[in-house]
């Protein structure tokens, strides 16, 4: 073979090898580009799915005890899909990941809700190169519903008009469901302490705190200190009696009774028992003094029991009602209500949240109640108390007051029927509920 012929053959062989190397190199480069593009899509889908699953788990935990299982699953799936579908997956095409599958596992005993999700992400260049068609990404998040550590004052109108309209019965039912749902949550710290102010007029029942009244006004010459019998059982302080508003500025603020005591509303009558010849004493206090007491901060069971027997009495003195809610929550009253010097907590307590919830349906017969309500709400909010208001078909003037009283527009609820009332209470329960990620 001549030198020229050998060189020509060698050149042809080199051309073939170069083509093969070029083809392999191009395939590797294109495969790398395809992998990079599709990997970006997979990571984007995984990140989006994890975020959507987390948001769905939080929503599910918030609603764990407020929805039945079917509604909870549907709501969780809706939240998941709303936050995942339509996400850009870094594709040259308009395609997106297939709608995710969602599984919800609630545990009412622990308050945990586990949300598991998966979605199929279609490939692009990897599909074209016949490497793979689809990739499945998944996520799993557990969230826990917890009862907040809070002091909550429930201020409910319980007037004659509320009773006559049938709305008071609906309020009893809705408020009881609200408290029961909150009490079923896993408590954080000490959980919720509940206070209760049923209002109908300016007189309030503060039994058994007979030491709160003006000096010398509490009757002492009674059986068993003197001969005779009584129409009540046990100490008189545990029977029905009330206090009226204090005079001047003390009647409009949270000054405790050891500084400025209250005027006593208590009437007793006596007559000689013909059988024994001894005096028989009867409590004939005005009917404007309601049976239901103001309840200091305590457990939910006591409040539920009080709600079950709540009846209408008097007019809607909502300004006085809120004033007593302020006294329930004010640290100036520490040790006054129960003897526990830590209750109510300080306004600046870093852990305990303070909440007041006012529900009314009427206009006050005394227009001074409007100013009193507005002023008290301003003070309450200024001290960091979260104030919710529920307006149950109240007249326009009262509605405006309630809107101004609420901490924000989202803290005000206008309801027109029992179903709306239940929704309002459960919305507030959701606001108060805490969600954490265990572990």
């Amino acid at each position: 073979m001549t030198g020229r012929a050998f060189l020509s053959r060698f050149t042809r062989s080199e051309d073939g090898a170069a083509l093969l190397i070029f083809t392999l190199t191009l395939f590797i480069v294109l495969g790398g580009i395809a992998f990079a593009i599709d990997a970006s899509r997979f990571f984007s889908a995984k990140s989006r799915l994890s975020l959507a699953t987390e948001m769905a788990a939080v929503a599910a935990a918030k609603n764990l005890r407020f929805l039945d299982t079917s509604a909870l699953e549907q709501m969780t799936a809706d939240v998941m899909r709303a936050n995942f579908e339509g996400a850009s997956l870094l594709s040259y095409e308009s395609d997106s990941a297939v709608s995710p599958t969602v599984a919800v596992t609630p545990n009412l005993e622990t308050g945990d809700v586990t949300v598991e999700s998966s979605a199929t992400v279609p490939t692009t260049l990897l599909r074209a190169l016949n490497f793979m068609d689809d990739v499945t990404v998944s996520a799993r998040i557990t969230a826990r519903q917890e009862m907040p550590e809070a002091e909550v004052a429930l201020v409910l109108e319980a007037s004659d008009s509320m009773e006559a309209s049938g709305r008071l019965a609906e309020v009893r039912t809705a408020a009881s469901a609200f408290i029961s749902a909150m009490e079923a949550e896993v408590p954080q710290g000490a959980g919720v302490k509940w206070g209760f102010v049923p209002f109908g007029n300016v007189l309030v029942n503060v039994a058994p705190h007979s030491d709160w009244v003006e000096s010398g006004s509490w009757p002492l010459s009674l059986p068993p200190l003197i001969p005779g019998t009584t129409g009540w059982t046990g100490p008189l302080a545990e029977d029905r009696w009330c206090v009226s508003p204090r005079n001047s500025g003390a009647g409009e603020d949270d000054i405790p009774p050891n500084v400025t005591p209250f005027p006593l509303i208590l009437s007793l009558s006596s007559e000689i028992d013909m059988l024994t010849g001894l005096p028989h004493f009867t409590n004939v206090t005005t009917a404007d003094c309601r049976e239901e007491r103001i309840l200091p901060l305590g457990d939910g069971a006591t409040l539920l029991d009080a709600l079950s027997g709540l009846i209408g009495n008097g007019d809607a003195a909502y300004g006085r009602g809120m004033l007593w809610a302020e006294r329930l929550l004010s640290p100036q009253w520490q040790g006054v209500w129960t003897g526990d010097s830590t209750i109510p907590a300080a306004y600046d307590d870093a852990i305990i949240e303070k909440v007041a919830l006012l529900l009314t349906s009427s206009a006050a017969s005394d227009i001074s109640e409007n100013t009193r309500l507005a002023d008290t709400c301003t003070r309450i909010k200024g001290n960091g108390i979260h104030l919710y208001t529920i307006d149950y078909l109240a007249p326009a003037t009262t509605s405006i007051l309630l809107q101004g009283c609420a901490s924000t527009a989202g803290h005000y609820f206008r309801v027109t029927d029992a179903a709306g009332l239940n929704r309002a209470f459960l919305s507030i329960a959701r606001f108060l509920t805490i969600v954490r990620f265990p572990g």
Side-chain angles (χ1 to χ4, degrees), residues 274-345:
M274 299 303 293
L275 294 177
T276 64
L278 298 176
H280 179 75
F281 293 86
T282 307
N283 185 344
V284 291
T285 300
T286 174
D288 289 338
C289 173
R290 66 185 313 124
E291 289 282 353
E292 301 87 1
R293 305 174 182 183
I294 292 180
L295 293 183
L297 296 168
D299 61 81
T302 302
L303 177 49
L304 287 170
D305 185 59
L307 281 172
S308 67
L310 186 63
I311 60 175
N313 183 292
D315 297 319
Y318 36 62
R320 292 287 175 195
M322 279 306 296
L323 189 53
W324 279 99
E326 181 182 24
R327 293 164 181 166
L328 276 178
L329 298 173
S330 171
Q332 289 202 68
W333 287 62
Q334 283 180 340
V336 176
W337 286 103
T338 64
D340 187 334
S341 61
T342 65
I343 300 173

Side-chain angles (χ1 to χ4, degrees), residues 256-391:
N258 60 313
V259 177
T260 306
F262 292 91
L264 173 64
I265 303 298
L266 171 65
S267 298
L268 302 178
S269 69
S270 67
E271 58 184 16
I272 299 299
D273 187 322
M274 299 303 293
L275 294 177
T276 64
L278 298 176
H280 179 75
F281 293 86
T282 307
N283 185 344
V284 291
T285 300
T286 174
D288 289 338
C289 173
R290 66 185 313 124
E291 289 282 353
E292 301 87 1
R293 305 174 182 183
I294 292 180
L295 293 183
L297 296 168
D299 61 81
T302 302
L303 177 49
L304 287 170
D305 185 59
L307 281 172
S308 67
L310 186 63
I311 60 175
N313 183 292
D315 297 319
Y318 36 62
R320 292 287 175 195
M322 279 306 296
L323 189 53
W324 279 99
E326 181 182 24
R327 293 164 181 166
L328 276 178
L329 298 173
S330 171
Q332 289 202 68
W333 287 62
Q334 283 180 340
V336 176
W337 286 103
T338 64
D340 187 334
S341 61
T342 65
I343 300 173
Y347 282 130
D348 59 356
D349 191 287
I351 297 175
I352 298 175
E353 180 182 7
K354 288 179 179 280
V355 178
L357 193 165
L358 169 64
L359 182 150
T360 191
S361 180
S362 309
S365 57
D366 180 356
I367 61 173
S368 67
E369 287 295 307
N370 296 341
T371 301
R372 184 170 295 112
L373 177 62
D375 291 346
T376 305
C377 288
T378 298
R379 285 197 308 274
I380 282 178
K381 291 185 289 187
N383 285 319
I385 297 174
H386 300 287
L387 182 48
Y388 295 89
T389 59
I390 299 179
D391 169 357

Side-chain angles (χ1 to χ4, degrees), residues 82-114:
N83 286 282
F84 181 76
E85 291 180 359
S88 171
L89 297 180
L90 305 177
S91 172
Y92 291 110
E93 303 176 17
S94 61
D95 65 326
S96 60
V98 174
S99 180
T101 60
V102 183
V104 183
T105 307
N107 187 328
L108 291 174
E109 183 175 344
T110 64
D112 289 351
V113 180
T114 300

Side-chain angles (χ1 to χ4, degrees), residues 41-117:
R41 285 163 47 81
F42 304 152
F43 289 129
S44 174
K46 173 67 174 178
S47 176
R48 186 63 177 241
L49 184 70
S50 296
L51 178 60
T53 304
E54 182 176 311
M55 296 176 73
V58 169
K62 275 280 186 184
N63 288 275
L64 174 60
R65 289 179 172 82
F66 311 134
L67 296 175
D68 60 36
T69 301
S70 177
L72 184 70
E73 291 175 347
Q74 184 61 54
M75 183 274 300
T76 305
D78 290 343
V79 172
M80 165 70 70
R81 290 172 182 132
N83 286 282
F84 181 76
E85 291 180 359
S88 171
L89 297 180
L90 305 177
S91 172
Y92 291 110
E93 303 176 17
S94 61
D95 65 326
S96 60
V98 174
S99 180
T101 60
V102 183
V104 183
T105 307
N107 187 328
L108 291 174
E109 183 175 344
T110 64
D112 289 351
V113 180
T114 300
V115 178
E116 297 176 278
S117 62

